[in-house]
Amino acid sequence: MLHLCSHIEASIRKRHINLEYIERQKSVDIRFHFLCGRHDLDHKEVFHDLVRRYFHGPLKPPFNEEKRAEAGLPPDFYWPLADRTPAKS
């Protein structure tokens, strides 16, 4: 029983950390859109350029599309940058 409780506690902590991360990402996304708009830049093109420049290799699915949409990132932001090869088992 103690082992199960520690797993539940760890799961709750992980979910709490994930929710905090998502909230920070939403804040960053708002500022990102604001700055791109201020400089009359296409935010999707800027995002793609930044990912290609600083992230080495393709993005790795699966993506939490619901949470990404809440953060203002539609699928056409990240799927063009994704590794679409099937995962090896």
Side-chain angles (χ1 to χ4, degrees), residues 1-13:
M1 182 68 165
L2 182 61
H3 185 67
L4 177 61
C5 289
S6 64
H7 280 296
I8 292 170
E9 183 180 342
S11 177
I12 290 170
R13 263 191 265 121

Side-chain angles (χ1 to χ4, degrees), residues 83-89:
D83 178 8
R84 294 181 184 255
T85 59
K88 295 178 183 176
S89 28

Side-chain angles (χ1 to χ4, degrees), residues 30-49:
I30 290 167
R31 284 181 273 164
F32 177 73
H33 282 284
F34 170 77
L35 291 171
C36 287
R38 176 188 240 180
H39 297 284
D40 200 29
L41 299 170
D42 181 290
H43 54 281
K44 182 170 60 172
E45 288 178 20
V46 172
F47 178 78
H48 285 191
D49 180 58

